[in-house]
Amino acid sequence: MDLLVVGGSGFLGREVARRARDAGAQVTATRHGAAPPTFHSRASLLTGVAWRTVDIRRREDVARLVADVRPAVVVNAAYRQSDWATTADGAMHVAAAAAATGARLVQVSSDAVFSGRAVRYDETAPPDPITPYGAAKAAAETAVKGLDPTAVIARTSLIIGDGDSVHETFVHALASGATTGALFTDDVRCPVHVGDLAAALLELAASPHTGIHHVAGPDPVNRHELGTLIARRDGLDATALPTGRRAASGPPGPLDVRLDCTTTRARLTTRLRGAHEFLARRGDR
Ligand SMILES: NC(=O)c1ccc[n+]([C@@H]2O[C@H](COP(=O)([O-])OP(=O)(O)OC[C@H]3O[C@@H](n4cnc5c(N)ncnc54)[C@H](OP(=O)(O)O)[C@@H]3O)[C@@H](O)[C@H]2O)c1
């Protein structure tokens, strides 16, 4: 399989590229603004991957890249939370380019397309975003569906790794006092491990399935519970983690969003572990 990972310099994109490379695929990955030396230290872990620079806000550049690489599969993991042009327009440009070349597309989406009013959402639930980011992801989904009805749209939740996600970094910074803030007890999601997610995306790419898929873990946890699990795994003092309530003091946005992955899980051989399992201390596993 020839794979193009758009957003390959990002947290999820790197894992997708690494797994595909290890499975024997020819992998091209893109970066945008990731600057040396950060980029070089990350990219050196991904030897054997061809790197290209692209700004997905530029339709012609995306079309040229995809026409040049001619991948069988495109995974789009690129986004910028506060930038509609990247998250929505950029996804549309990637979908148009994939459709023009007949490439199979997997578009990564988010539980942010939901308001949280219904709490639990399956793949048939219509988006009802209440933040600009959620609206951009929902717009991207619509653009992708319209341009490439055979694409997979994979909604996911908080992506956690083995220490290197933004969420884990934040918990470490809070625990050490390097930053201020709070872990909300009323902000609930279904976190997924980046390795499980990447494997599921590649499995979906190789499948005949199309349309919306929910790819998240089975355990709903609030941000403080998640922080406590991370702290315990990493030997930090979990009691030092400050708590708060997002409804009272946090940024506006959905409080409780749980992706129901029943339908997607039945289609996958990849197991999507829950936060309690993948964040268990090594001795407890
Ligand atoms: N992280 C989470 O907890 C979470 C939760 C739900 C859904 N998601 C979704 O998962 C996907 C991946 O998230 P992530 O955490 O891996 O993101 P990330 O680490 O922030 O990576 C974002 C990627 O997008 C690229 N990018 C940004 N602006 C671009 C532009 N204008 N043109 C081309 N590329 C651009 C970045 O390139 P440079 O770094 O080189 O600039 C980077 O490769 C996204 O679709 C996100 O919406 C993430």
Side-chain angles (χ1 to χ4, degrees), residues 15-185:
E15 182 67 13
V16 172
R18 189 185 67 72
R19 282 185 173 253
R21 178 206 61 187
D22 290 352
Q26 288 278 108
V27 181
T28 303
T30 75
R31 59 185 279 212
H32 171 236
T38 313
F39 173 73
H40 288 307
S41 63
R42 287 173 180 172
S44 66
L45 302 172
L46 283 176
T47 51
V49 169
W51 287 95
R52 303 283 291 261
T53 300
V54 74
D55 183 341
I56 59 171
R57 293 172 295 188
R58 302 168 71 97
R59 177 191 287 267
E60 300 308 325
D61 292 2
V62 178
R64 222 177 351 260
L65 171 75
V66 176
D68 188 31
V69 175
R70 286 262 157 198
V73 174
V74 177
V75 173
N76 181 22
Y79 87 119
R80 188 78 69 205
Q81 183 139 14
S82 55
D83 184 21
W84 181 283
T86 297
T87 305
D89 296 352
M92 175 177 66
H93 298 155
V94 173
T101 57
R104 167 93 164 136
L105 174 64
V106 177
Q107 164 71 24
V108 181
S109 192
S110 170
D111 58 12
V113 301
F114 296 122
S115 66
R117 275 190 284 273
V119 178
R120 201 166 175 80
Y121 296 89
D122 70 14
E123 287 87 345
T124 64
D128 62 342
I130 56 171
T131 62
Y133 167 57
K137 295 299 282 189
E141 290 186 357
T142 294
V144 168
K145 269 193 279 189
L147 289 164
D148 189 350
T150 63
V152 166
I153 295 168
R155 293 187 187 130
T156 191
S157 189
L158 302 181
I159 308 173
I160 309 299
D162 298 316
D164 41 359
S165 69
V166 287
H167 311 293
E168 291 156 283
T169 305
F170 181 57
V171 170
H172 276 249
L174 278 177
S176 69
T179 195
T180 55
L183 294 171
F184 300 127
T185 54

Side-chain angles (χ1 to χ4, degrees), residues 181-186 243-252 255:
L183 294 171
F184 300 127
T185 54
D186 58 346
T243 63
R245 289 185 62 77
R246 183 172 176 168
S249 58
L255 292 179

Side-chain angles (χ1 to χ4, degrees), residues 149-284:
T150 63
V152 166
I153 295 168
R155 293 187 187 130
T156 191
S157 189
L158 302 181
I159 308 173
I160 309 299
D162 298 316
D164 41 359
S165 69
V166 287
H167 311 293
E168 291 156 283
T169 305
F170 181 57
V171 170
H172 276 249
L174 278 177
S176 69
T179 195
T180 55
L183 294 171
F184 300 127
T185 54
D186 58 346
D187 185 337
V188 177
R189 299 290 186 275
C190 294
V192 66
H193 191 274
V194 66
D196 298 349
L197 175 58
L201 296 178
L202 291 169
E203 189 180 344
L204 286 169
S207 79
H209 299 300
T210 63
I212 304 285
H213 288 76
H214 283 183
V215 188
D219 299 345
V221 292
N222 67 44
R223 298 269 183 170
H224 183 254
E225 288 167 339
L226 180 63
T228 301
L229 289 170
I230 292 167
R232 286 199 189 128
R233 178 199 63 184
D234 297 345
L236 307 173
D237 179 8
T239 62
L241 295 173
T243 63
R245 289 185 62 77
R246 183 172 176 168
S249 58
L255 292 179
D256 192 343
V257 179
R258 307 174 189 204
L259 291 181
D260 180 336
C261 304
T262 310
T263 302
T264 298
R265 200 171 288 122
R267 293 178 170 177
L268 292 171
T269 59
T270 300
R271 201 164 72 81
L272 301 168
R273 291 167 294 159
H276 290 283
E277 180 177 352
F278 65 71
L279 286 170
R281 282 178 290 206
R282 275 184 184 81
D284 298 341

